[in-house]
Amino acid sequence: MLEFWNRSKASAVSIADFKGSYSIQLEDVAARINGRAIIENITTQFSRGEFTVLLGPNGAGKSTLLKTITGEVNTTGKTNIFGRASADWQPEQLARHLSALPQHSSLSFNFSAQEVVELGSIGLSLGKQALELVVKSNMEAVGVDKLSDRSYPSLSGGEKQRVHFARVLTQTAQSGDNKILLLDEPTSALDLQHQHSTLSLAKKLAREGATVIAVLHDLNLAAQYADRIMILNQGEIVMDGRPSDALTSQTIAEVYHHEVTIMPHPQSQRPVVVSN
């Protein structure tokens, strides 16, 4: 469950009432950690029904950008979520509509996999039977339903990652039409099959109206699944657009300092990145 920052104001307005196109709006956002600028001059917005992938080299500010949205880091500038300043939403209400999958989890209690997924229901108004159905559905969706009774600490890294994805989905089970999912390297520990099934599910959720933002390192996975690719470098956005526009050999060479060749996929015609 997300730990949201303290707010001096709270609003009784429901997020369910939000009808705008942009679920997240950032204006001149900057973040500094230990005196060092991690991101700066970020002005952008994220739409409902869109799957955005953040790319960039290590230390580019991708994870920090997600943390500015959840409020896990102090920032300057404006961050609006569902049409209002982040601080104006009640934390409990926002947590039902915005959920994040972190890179790493420090959970070490001897919970079963199902109990970890059920942690996502904290703050929801679900009866026992309804919760069981939601948890079962989400565990099936990410392919961990057969792990329900397994001890969480005994799971592999990839299995833990998928269990937490099911937890994230459970957290937003009552989000209605306004849902934000922030996925920080959701495929880092996964095998080939589960990389694709995870990103297919993320794209499906976006098609159903969610705002989905994922940090990836695999350029070809990004090219295959993203509606939009945002490339960061040294804390700033250097490219933002459709995969065919964002993934160019020139941009990749400038950002990653590595020469590549771009060619069309034989079936989808989306860009394929091949190292020279």
Side-chain angles (χ1 to χ4, degrees):
M1 193 76 170
L2 283 175
E3 294 285 339
F4 286 101
W5 64 105
N6 291 327
R7 299 175 173 85
S8 58
K9 298 179 181 180
S11 171
V13 176
S14 173
I15 291 176
D17 296 330
F18 176 72
K19 304 299 181 183
S21 298
Y22 299 129
S23 55
I24 302 169
Q25 294 172 295
L26 307 177
E27 182 179 342
D28 199 25
V29 169
R32 304 181 72 86
I33 298 177
N34 296 325
R36 184 170 70 90
I38 307 300
I39 60 170
E40 49 189 343
N41 306 318
I42 300 292
T43 297
T44 189
Q45 56 278 319
F46 298 93
S47 301
R48 295 196 293 184
E50 184 177 63
F51 182 19
T52 302
V53 171
L54 306 182
L55 295 176
N58 294 333
K62 304 180 296 297
S63 296
T64 300
L65 182 55
L66 295 188
K67 290 176 181 178
T68 67
I69 298 170
T70 62
E72 293 175 69
V73 296
N74 293 324
T75 62
T76 57
K78 296 181 180 178
T79 301
N80 284 358
I81 299 179
F82 299 120
R84 299 170 66 87
S86 302
D88 288 348
W89 291 119
Q90 295 178 355
E92 297 82 2
Q93 184 179 179
L94 190 56
R96 289 195 294 271
H97 294 265
L98 189 159
S99 187
L101 177 68
Q103 284 187 40
H104 309 290
S105 172
S106 59
L107 181 63
S108 59
F109 294 108
N110 194 30
F111 292 148
S112 69
Q114 180 171 322
E115 288 172 331
V116 172
V117 176
E118 290 173 350
L119 291 175
S121 69
I122 296 174
L124 300 183
S125 55
L126 290 172
K128 181 178 180 181
Q129 186 173 11
L131 174 60
E132 289 176 352
L133 290 174
V134 166
V135 169
K136 183 176 185 292
S137 174
N138 289 333
M139 294 187 76
E140 289 175 350
V142 301
V144 294
D145 48 305
K146 293 181 173 58
L147 305 177
S148 296
D149 297 328
R150 286 272 303 276
S151 166
Y152 173 81
S154 73
L155 302 179
S156 71
E159 290 169 336
K160 289 178 179 178
Q161 198 166 35
R162 289 186 287 133
V163 165
H164 279 292
F165 191 16
R167 175 187 57 78
V168 164
L169 297 179
T170 299
Q171 184 176 328
T172 56
Q174 294 182 308
S175 60
D177 293 332
N178 293 316
K179 177 185 301 185
I180 298 172
L181 297 175
L182 307 178
L183 312 175
D184 198 351
E185 298 191 32
T187 61
S188 60
L190 303 185
D191 58 34
L192 181 64
Q193 175 194 355
H194 291 113
Q195 286 177 356
H196 287 277
S197 62
T198 293
L199 295 180
S200 292
L201 178 55
K203 186 153 190 167
K204 176 178 179 290
L205 293 167
R207 289 286 175 268
E208 293 172 351
T211 300
V212 184
I213 309 172
V215 171
L216 296 179
H217 281 291
D218 190 313
L219 305 187
N220 286 313
L221 284 175
Q224 183 172 348
Y225 289 98
D227 298 313
R228 170 189 180 192
I229 288 178
M230 182 182 293
I231 301 178
L232 283 77
N233 193 27
Q234 297 181 353
E236 296 188 349
I237 299 170
V238 297
M239 184 61 69
D240 185 0
R242 298 176 302 175
S244 58
D245 297 325
L247 293 175
T248 67
S249 56
Q250 179 179 350
T251 297
I252 293 171
E254 291 175 352
V255 171
Y256 291 93
H257 305 291
H258 188 79
E259 299 294 329
V260 299
T261 297
I262 308 293
M263 59 184 66
H265 189 280
Q267 295 176 328
S268 68
Q269 300 303 305
R270 287 185 172 234
V272 175
V273 181
V274 180
S275 177
N276 287 356

